[in-house]
Amino acid sequence: MEIGRSVFASKGYEATSIEEVAHQAGVSKPIVYEHFGAKEGLYAAIVDRELEDLVTRVSASIAQGTPRQRFEDAVLAFMAYVKEEPAGFAVLTRDSPTAAARRGLTRVIDDLAQRVSDVFRSEFERAGYPPKVAPIYANALVGMVTQVGHWWAAEGKAFSTENVARHVAALGWMGLRHLPRDPAAPGVKREAKPRKG
């Protein structure tokens, strides 16, 4: 699986062959087929393992602490994964044509957003906000962090992951800190609609 992850990360799904993975791993093609069925099975197993690693890291980071600490720790955990597991992150961010492994990064966002949403829901309720809107904010923040991770992996390495994570956490936290109870209420500033004609 380590060899397969490396080859899929560098070449993508379509350009990767079982022959190459087997050769680099020092085993025969039948061994790979016996364990994973086909290239799709190997890819799906790798994606599932990477998802579990990333979700476990982020989930552990939001298990305790103040709301701000949880949020900042979650961003730091995500960025640490991007830095420490570049091949895994590359596999997750590539589109997959397979049924079993489809939606790589989208699955990450969905899983993380669900867990973050559970934390937000209880914190919103405690602070007097409607808890039913928690998934909106959880998905927005997780999507933001994921996109920044993708940017950092591609072109942002002049910045340390810790520095990037603190900037992202500050942006997210300031937005949450000044969150109106009802964004559509009178007195909440909105941009004027452009005039027609």
Side-chain angles (χ1 to χ4, degrees):
M1 285 181 69
E2 288 296 322
I3 297 295
R5 182 178 79 155
S6 175
V7 177
F8 282 125
S10 63
K11 295 193 166 192
Y13 180 84
E14 291 298 334
T16 296
S17 69
I18 288 296
E19 289 87 351
E20 181 175 3
V21 172
H23 176 73
Q24 287 193 30
V27 298
S28 66
K29 272 175 49 179
I31 294 290
V32 179
Y33 286 119
E34 182 180 322
H35 283 86
F36 301 102
K39 181 167 78 167
E40 181 177 321
L42 174 61
Y43 188 83
I46 292 166
V47 167
D48 285 344
R49 187 179 72 171
E50 294 306 316
L51 285 174
E52 186 58 33
D53 182 15
L54 180 52
V55 170
T56 298
R57 288 174 185 233
V58 175
S59 296
S61 72
I62 61 174
Q64 58 185 352
T66 66
R68 181 170 187 165
Q69 286 171 331
R70 290 180 185 193
F71 181 63
E72 187 166 322
D73 288 350
V75 178
L76 284 164
F78 190 96
M79 291 303 299
Y81 171 83
V82 174
K83 178 182 178 181
E84 294 165 11
E85 303 295 342
F89 190 67
V91 168
L92 291 177
T93 56
R94 289 185 181 273
D95 291 331
S96 168
T98 70
R102 70 182 180 278
R103 300 176 57 229
L105 192 57
T106 305
R107 280 176 60 196
V108 173
I109 294 170
D110 289 348
D111 287 354
L112 291 177
Q114 178 60 52
R115 295 179 195 217
V116 171
S117 182
D118 291 342
V119 173
F120 275 25
R121 191 173 284 110
S122 63
E123 291 298 328
F124 275 24
E125 200 163 25
R126 189 182 61 73
Y129 290 86
K132 67 181 181 182
V133 301
I136 297 171
Y137 295 97
N139 278 279
L141 291 171
V142 170
M144 176 178 70
V145 174
T146 304
Q147 184 58 36
V148 170
H150 190 64
W151 165 81
W152 183 87
E155 57 186 271
K157 292 183 182 165
F159 301 94
S160 72
T161 53
E162 293 80 9
N163 188 9
V164 171
R166 285 192 175 83
H167 280 281
V168 173
L171 173 63
W173 181 252
M174 291 307 291
L176 287 171
R177 187 171 176 202
H178 300 290
L179 191 66
R181 293 201 194 294
D182 179 2
V188 175
K189 292 184 179 179
R190 291 180 294 237
E191 289 186 23
K193 293 181 181 176
R195 292 183 179 179
K196 293 183 179 177

